[in-house]
Amino acid sequence: MSSHREAPSIAKDPVADNTDTYAFVTPGDTVTIITNYLPVEAPAGGPNFYEFADDVLYEIHVDNDGDGKPDITYQFRFETRNTNPDTFLYNTGPITALDDPNWNRRQRYSITKVTRRRGRRPRVRVLGTGLAAPPCNIGPRSTPDYGSLADAAVTSLRTGETVFAGQRAEGFYVDLGSVFDLATLRPFQNLHVIPTASADGVDALANVNVHSLALQVPIADLTRDGSVPRDPMAASAVIGVWGAASRQKALVREGDGDRRGAGPWVQVSRLGNPLFNEVIVPLARKDAWNAQGPDSDSRFARFVARPELARLLPQLYPGVFPNLAALDADRADLVAILLTGIPAGLIDGFQNFTGPTQADELRLNVAIPPAHSPHRLGILGGDLAGFPNGRRVGDDVVTIELRAVAGATYPLIDPAFTPDDAVSAIEDGTFPPVRSFLDRFPFLGLPYSGYDVPAA
């Protein structure tokens, strides 16, 4: 998956597991950033339905000067309480409003903005407190009008941001069952070294939910000079984005079953580009990658320059990728896409280069407006507003990254290289996704209800 069970330690701590990050330009000179947590939520998750953790510090980071360190951070902290201590139920009747007395298990949150400038103390500003998160989507009797509950949880802050925190339908789509079965791609698994008849892909995440932090911010609040760039070639037009989660260094367990954190915050999860830790970083190093910031990612650059998957594809699909098999060079194209951004001169009218610091960030050129007709393959499909220029909720990132690893983007570096014919056919077969996205904030669709979708 994008980053759902990518490392041994964080797989045991789902409330802190940052599963996906999205960043894209939206109307009104704004950028929408979404970070997801709690992977693979079975909708019928009662009586203890899913929620953010009170003891986790959730963060959205923005780097606007290319050093791999956050210049702007939005921090989210949650507080959960039971309004009725004498029931085992999440709700004792229909929930029709965010303050409905039938709803027993409620969450509120605060959002704080931290701005850092070189040579100055960080500026810390609380943007909102006591903001309501909606309940989980339980079913037609408990949450009869879930859409109105979710809409009521969208908050416009006095400082210009719009924010939402709560359950949404999983936006990532992938044939997880086949991809991790020796990199099988069902549409052409007949060509696999262990062949079976070709078949349609199976979206393993089609009926599960996640918990999302969604933030829409004026572009001028994110750029290094406070401007709204119009020239895509301007250095100030590019920002880097990633999500993260931290826990306090010590955990104290109380005799009554309560527990509390103590000590400084320690990062336990992060995510910029989809599939980076999942597919690029070796298993033994994944926890270490989660614990450090993007500014240290040069330590992992060799795994980007010589990705294991690029070596495996010719072995698993004999005779299908001869040009890729013969390619014995560092993959400067992948280093650019994932670690530095794409410099000017490689793609007409486009760059999202942040400089020489190698850092896993979603790099977004905010001077490129939203596409009128988005292409699911983003830049590979000629759509400069799509991945790897940020990431939209509908971008087919699995296909894009598989094709890039297989050699589709290497001609940007070496025009003499010809990608294998099979590259343009690489699919995991899950597009179009069966879930629906919204054309408005917070863009990810309403979560599946436990009544309508049986537990896995």
Side-chain angles (χ1 to χ4, degrees), residues 37 47 88 121 127 146 156 183 197 262 315 345 371:
Y37 300 84
F88 74 92
R121 292 171 61 91
L127 304 184
Y146 191 83
S156 296
Q315 299 173 35

Side-chain angles (χ1 to χ4, degrees), residues 15-378:
V15 292
D17 191 350
N18 188 183
T19 66
D20 278 288
T21 298
Y22 304 86
F24 48 100
V25 176
T26 36
D29 288 333
T30 60
V31 167
T32 293
I33 303 171
I34 304 169
T35 58
N36 290 343
Y37 300 84
L38 284 99
V40 199
E41 296 180 11
N48 294 307
F49 286 92
Y50 300 91
E51 61 192 18
F52 290 104
D54 293 1
D55 57 354
V56 172
L57 172 64
Y58 300 95
E59 295 180 304
I60 292 173
H61 296 297
V62 177
D63 170 17
N64 59 28
D65 62 7
D67 63 357
K69 300 177 181 179
D71 299 294
I72 299 168
T73 298
Y74 290 91
Q75 298 178 332
F76 296 77
R77 293 296 312 277
F78 288 83
E79 182 179 7
T80 308
R81 70 183 183 96
N82 293 320
T83 60
N84 182 350
D86 298 321
T87 180
F88 74 92
L89 293 167
Y90 185 78
N91 58 293
T92 54
I95 304 173
T96 59
L98 296 181
D99 59 355
D100 196 311
N102 288 329
W103 181 20
N104 179 41
R105 183 76 173 173
R106 305 188 192 184
Q107 282 202 314
R108 293 192 176 273
Y109 66 98
S110 65
I111 178 171
T112 300
K113 182 179 181 180
V114 181
T115 305
R116 303 171 183 85
R117 297 196 177 209
R118 197 167 298 170
R120 301 183 187 178
R121 292 171 61 91
R123 182 190 180 197
V124 180
R125 184 180 185 184
V126 177
L127 304 184
T129 59
L131 305 179
C136 290
N137 191 3
I138 302 167
R141 296 164 186 81
S142 294
T143 47
D145 186 4
Y146 191 83
S148 68
L149 292 172
D151 288 344
V154 174
T155 303
S156 296
L157 303 175
R158 290 179 296 175
T159 47
E161 297 90 350
T162 301
V163 65
F164 171 87
Q167 190 179 52
R168 306 305 286 183
E170 170 66 80
F172 185 53
Y173 49 97
V174 61
D175 189 345
L176 188 67
S178 71
V179 168
F180 281 109
D181 185 17
L182 292 180
T184 303
L185 300 170
R186 289 186 219 253
F188 59 107
Q189 62 188 4
N190 57 302
L191 303 176
H192 197 276
V193 68
I194 307 173
T196 52
S198 61
D200 295 332
V202 177
D203 185 356
L205 304 179
N207 295 304
V208 300
N209 297 322
V210 290
H211 265 62
S212 300
L213 302 177
L215 185 65
Q216 193 166 86
V217 189
I219 287 174
D221 288 356
L222 299 178
T223 55
R224 70 181 70 170
D225 57 4
S227 68
V228 181
R230 303 300 181 191
D231 178 9
M233 309 316 288
S236 61
V238 182
I239 60 172
V241 177
W242 68 100
S246 298
R247 285 192 174 277
Q248 287 179 280
K249 199 164 190 177
L251 174 65
V252 179
R253 298 183 185 273
E254 307 287 3
D256 59 1
D258 286 344
R259 58 185 190 174
R260 59 183 174 84
W265 293 101
V266 178
Q267 182 176 289
V268 295
S269 177
R270 67 169 164 125
L271 183 69
N273 283 292
L275 300 167
F276 191 100
N277 199 10
E278 189 87 17
V279 175
I280 299 293
V281 179
L283 184 62
R285 299 171 182 263
K286 290 181 182 295
D287 289 327
W289 184 91
N290 264 332
Q292 69 177 40
D295 59 313
S296 299
D297 281 343
S298 60
R299 294 169 51 195
F300 300 91
R302 63 190 177 97
F303 303 114
V304 178
R306 299 273 180 162
E308 183 180 12
L309 183 58
R311 297 197 305 272
L312 288 174
L313 284 173
Q315 299 173 35
L316 293 173
Y317 294 88
V320 177
F321 299 102
N323 295 346
L324 179 64
L327 178 57
D328 184 20
D330 285 351
R331 294 295 300 276
D333 57 323
L334 300 180
V335 172
I337 291 169
L338 298 176
L339 290 178
T340 65
I342 299 171
L346 297 183
I347 299 172
D348 289 344
F350 177 77
Q351 60 90 24
N352 64 351
F353 184 64
T354 53
T357 299
Q358 295 177 332
D360 172 42
E361 303 174 351
L362 268 183
R363 289 170 172 82
L364 177 65
N365 189 317
V366 299
I368 295 176
H372 294 295
S373 299
H375 196 291
R376 57 118 176 184
L377 296 181

